Amino acid sequence: MRQPGLGERWSQVKLSWMDLRFWMVVGLMFVNWAIESVKWQKQLEPLQKMNFIRAFRSVLAGCSITMLTPNRIGEYAGRILYINEENRIRAIPLTILGSISQLAVTMSAGTAGILYIRYGSGILDALPEQPWFLNGFILVLGFLSTLFLFLLFFKVHDMVLFISRIRFLKSFVKYLHAAESFTRKQLLRIIFLSFIRYLVFILQYALMIQVMHVDIPLAASAWLMTQFFMLMVLAPTIGFTELPVRATAGVAILGLFSNNILGIQAAIFAIWLINLVIPAMIGGIFILGVKMIKVP
């Protein structure tokens, strides 16, 4: 079906780069990866010290590799180039721990978003029925996932102890001691950085939605994006094939509140390009500039 005012909306998309908010989103890309670099430094503390510039390069190198793997599981393959060779295997659980922290924040925010949108916001007042992504099953799933992830994150010591009691896993325990050495204060710092990074993501999308003239209020779009991120966690994707999934999820959620489908898709594409493709290209340059055995 042809969208109303398609020509005008296409003109708005083409001129979006002239909007100050567009460049604010670009600037937030550097904030996003800077936060992740500091978080990566904190994750590696039990193994080795890494200065910010090296951590920044490591993170972007990981971003480059992760574009080729399902649900970004290949991130470590890029980051490993900047880790001392003797620490590379022991750094794997630290990487996983950082991913768990970001996932826990995403699921907890998504669960809170369901509760707020359903019961406290008035966002749904104009809709004839409640959207499927706000149903009770997803709410319960979000709550249980949040509980499990936070327990897994903050009870990492107990998890290592449990693994050490399983006979065929005992040989792996020696690689988990670095994760076990985190104090509660260090874990809280990692969670805090994950939360701040999540807020940056939300702000980027909310701003870009405004830039593309999608007529949803800034606060409402921010809350709706908590559902977008939770759906993206549950959807299996691979780097460059992720864009259609993102576009579909974005239209499924935001399209209920605005008929500017082109603007929604353009906002999703712009954020994908800014947050993933450009950093991956920069990370690829960093990978080409290092030696596989020893990083200069």
Side-chain angles (χ1 to χ4, degrees), residues 12-20 22-23 211-212:
Q12 291 170 342
V13 169
K14 289 191 292 184
L15 294 173
S16 60
W17 67 273
M18 299 177 66
D19 193 312
L20 176 61
F22 179 92
W23 295 105
V211 169
M212 298 301 176

Side-chain angles (χ1 to χ4, degrees), residues 245-283:
V245 179
R246 284 175 170 262
T248 301
V251 170
I253 295 172
L254 300 175
L256 296 171
F257 303 89
S258 172
N259 63 1
N260 186 359
I261 304 302
L262 176 63
I264 294 170
Q265 293 173 334
I268 298 294
F269 174 75
I271 296 292
W272 179 77
L273 189 67
I274 291 169
N275 275 1
L276 294 175
V277 177
I278 293 176
M281 292 172 64
I282 298 172

Side-chain angles (χ1 to χ4, degrees), residues 143-172:
F143 175 77
L144 293 177
S145 298
T146 298
L147 183 62
F148 171 76
L149 289 166
F150 274 108
L151 283 175
L152 188 61
F153 183 77
F154 283 106
K155 294 294 184 179
V156 63
H157 309 283
D158 296 333
M159 184 59 62
V160 173
L161 182 62
F162 174 75
I163 292 173
S164 68
R165 293 173 177 172
I166 302 175
R167 182 174 299 176
F168 68 92
L169 293 178
K170 280 185 177 181
S171 59
F172 295 101

Side-chain angles (χ1 to χ4, degrees), residues 5-234:
L6 186 60
E8 179 184 356
R9 286 173 174 171
W10 178 242
S11 296
Q12 291 170 342
V13 169
K14 289 191 292 184
L15 294 173
S16 60
W17 67 273
M18 299 177 66
D19 193 312
L20 176 61
R21 292 169 296 185
F22 179 92
W23 295 105
M24 289 174 64
V25 173
V26 175
L28 286 169
M29 172 191 71
F30 294 101
V31 175
N32 167 26
W33 292 112
I35 294 170
E36 180 62 17
S37 299
V38 174
K39 180 181 162 187
W40 181 228
Q41 286 179 291
K42 299 296 182 184
Q43 288 169 227
L44 286 178
E45 276 183 353
L47 283 181
Q48 69 179 70
K49 297 294 182 181
M50 182 179 287
N51 63 49
F52 177 80
I53 297 299
R54 189 181 177 96
F56 189 78
R57 290 179 177 178
S58 177
V59 165
L60 292 187
C63 183
S64 181
I65 298 296
T66 198
M67 291 291 287
L68 306 174
T69 58
N71 287 66
R72 305 184 192 175
I73 60 174
E75 182 179 53
Y76 179 73
R79 295 189 181 193
I80 194 175
L81 298 176
Y82 289 85
I83 299 173
N84 295 342
E85 189 174 359
E86 67 274 13
N87 293 330
R88 288 177 177 177
I89 296 179
R90 288 181 171 83
I92 293 175
L94 304 183
T95 306
I96 295 172
L97 198 65
S99 298
I100 290 172
S101 73
Q102 200 68 56
L103 188 58
V105 168
T106 300
M107 295 304 293
S108 61
T111 304
I114 293 176
L115 292 172
Y116 179 74
I117 294 169
R118 282 180 59 169
Y119 304 114
S121 66
I123 294 173
L124 303 179
D125 292 348
L127 298 183
E129 60 183 18
Q130 181 176 282
W132 63 269
F133 55 84
L134 298 175
N135 64 41
F137 172 76
I138 295 181
L139 177 61
V140 172
L141 178 64
F143 175 77
L144 293 177
S145 298
T146 298
L147 183 62
F148 171 76
L149 289 166
F150 274 108
L151 283 175
L152 188 61
F153 183 77
F154 283 106
K155 294 294 184 179
V156 63
H157 309 283
D158 296 333
M159 184 59 62
V160 173
L161 182 62
F162 174 75
I163 292 173
S164 68
R165 293 173 177 172
I166 302 175
R167 182 174 299 176
F168 68 92
L169 293 178
K170 280 185 177 181
S171 59
F172 295 101
V173 172
K174 62 182 179 181
Y175 300 116
L176 302 178
H177 289 316
E180 189 183 19
S181 67
F182 279 114
T183 65
R184 181 60 59 90
K185 187 176 181 179
Q186 288 173 313
L187 291 174
L188 285 172
R189 285 174 178 168
I190 292 172
I191 279 286
F192 175 74
L193 289 169
S194 297
F195 177 70
I196 297 300
R197 190 178 181 221
Y198 182 84
L199 292 181
V200 171
F201 284 135
I202 292 290
L203 181 57
Q204 282 183 301
Y205 273 95
L207 286 173
M208 192 61 76
I209 287 168
Q210 303 303 307
V211 169
M212 298 301 176
H213 298 272
V214 178
D215 50 346
I216 301 175
L218 186 69
S221 62
W223 280 106
L224 289 169
M225 291 317 297
T226 64
Q227 305 311 295
F228 172 81
F229 283 121
M230 189 157 71
L231 287 179
M232 288 305 301
V233 164
L234 301 174

